[in-house]
Amino acid sequence: MTQHNIAASPPQTLVKVFNYKVGFIPLPVYLLLLLLVAGIMSVKKIGTDLPTMIAILGLGGATCAEIGKRIPYLGKMGGSAIIAAFLPSYLVSINVIPQTLVEPITSFTKSSNFIYLFVSSVVVGSIFTMDRNLILKGFAKIFLPLFIGSILAFIIGGLVGLACGLDLKQIVFFISTPVMGGGLGEGAIPLSVGYSEIMGIDSGKVLAQLLPVILVANLFAIIICGFLNMIGRRYPHLTGNGQLQVIIYWQEINKR
């Protein structure tokens, strides 16, 4: 082995190590976070500051994502998101996760509105990375199907709910609206606050009614999206291959 190869080998090996990820975190960083969180938990007094919570939540999310990704069949149909959504709640319910960790996380998410920051970052970042003309053309094309789909969702949801013996108000305000309102951060939490003000009851009780419906709906949405993704990978001609507009549209723009 030449001197040049000897000097080049360690960086290449390091790159390979960093390319191996647990969830979305490179393996060396994951191991460092694991030691850091273990050290913090050994103190038994966990702070609610942003760096500490990001380390804990990031480590937990990456671990759940890796577990979900490795489950046969489910891993290809959104297993990472499903495990990340349901496994922590299950572990808390059976007291596997200690209260010394649950309480600061709960306090952090309630006091910092971290969910709103995350959702805003995702939405704004997605919009800024898209072409302006593409957004305008795409919105014009999807507005009518989106509007019709929303109306049909309310009608079908109402009919199914009535067939199950539920009250129409319960169906509209506690099932259909929360499910279509943006999930947990942008749907259930703001709605629970508004409903509590209208009905004069505690928002926590309202949120407890909304959460099971939204979690089940999210579960089905993840599975269906994963199934559609599998179809798209097998039959690429059914998808846009990452393009929201057909190639003809871009050819027309170039001619102009």
Side-chain angles (χ1 to χ4, degrees):
M1 182 178 293
T2 64
Q3 184 176 358
H4 175 73
N5 291 334
I6 294 175
S9 296
Q12 292 177 357
T13 304
L14 188 61
V15 168
K16 290 182 180 180
V17 173
F18 272 88
N19 284 337
Y20 185 83
K21 296 182 178 180
V22 178
F24 52 87
I25 302 177
L27 180 59
V29 179
Y30 179 86
L31 295 176
L32 288 175
L33 280 177
L34 187 62
L35 294 175
L36 177 63
V37 172
I40 293 174
M41 293 183 62
S42 65
V43 179
K44 296 183 179 180
K45 188 177 181 181
I46 303 173
T48 58
D49 55 283
L50 185 61
T52 302
M53 289 295 104
I54 287 179
I56 294 175
L57 295 176
L59 180 68
T63 304
C64 292
E66 186 67 22
I67 294 173
K69 183 175 67 175
R70 296 186 178 277
I71 298 177
Y73 300 105
L74 184 65
K76 296 181 179 180
M77 301 178 61
S80 297
I82 294 173
I83 296 299
F86 291 95
L87 181 59
S89 299
Y90 175 72
L91 294 179
V92 171
S93 66
I94 61 176
N95 297 320
V96 171
I97 300 179
Q99 288 298 315
T100 54
L101 183 59
V102 174
E103 292 177 358
I105 292 177
T106 303
S107 176
F108 170 75
T109 53
K110 286 184 177 180
S111 61
S112 65
N113 290 326
F114 182 74
I115 295 177
Y116 292 100
L117 174 63
F118 175 76
V119 173
S120 301
S121 301
V122 171
V123 173
V124 174
S126 300
I127 294 175
F128 280 174
T129 55
M130 294 177 63
D131 182 80
R132 179 177 179 274
N133 293 325
L134 185 61
I135 296 176
L136 296 176
K137 292 287 184 178
F139 179 77
K141 287 187 175 182
I142 68 173
F143 175 76
L144 185 60
L146 184 63
F147 177 76
I148 296 175
S150 300
I151 298 299
L152 291 176
F154 272 105
I155 294 174
I156 295 173
L159 293 176
V160 173
L162 291 174
C164 294
L166 298 176
D167 182 67
L168 183 60
K169 292 182 179 179
Q170 179 77 15
I171 298 169
V172 173
F173 294 107
F174 286 88
I175 297 178
S176 298
T177 301
V179 168
M180 300 178 64
L184 179 61
E186 296 299 318
I189 295 177
L191 283 174
S192 65
V193 175
Y195 289 171
S196 66
E197 293 291 335
I198 295 172
M199 296 185 294
I201 60 177
D202 182 63
S203 61
K205 295 181 180 180
V206 180
L207 185 61
Q209 298 181 51
L210 302 180
L211 278 180
V213 175
I214 291 178
L215 290 177
V216 172
N218 286 345
L219 175 62
F220 277 95
I222 293 170
I223 293 175
I224 293 173
C225 288
F227 180 71
L228 292 176
N229 182 54
M230 291 174 59
I231 295 177
R233 289 174 180 242
R234 179 167 294 184
Y235 305 102
H237 65 279
L238 298 177
T239 71
N241 292 322
Q243 296 182 359
L244 299 182
Q245 295 286 342
V246 294
I247 300 177
I248 298 176
Y249 166 71
W250 295 109
Q251 292 177 347
E252 293 177 355
I253 292 296
N254 293 330
K255 289 180 181 179
R256 296 176 185 175

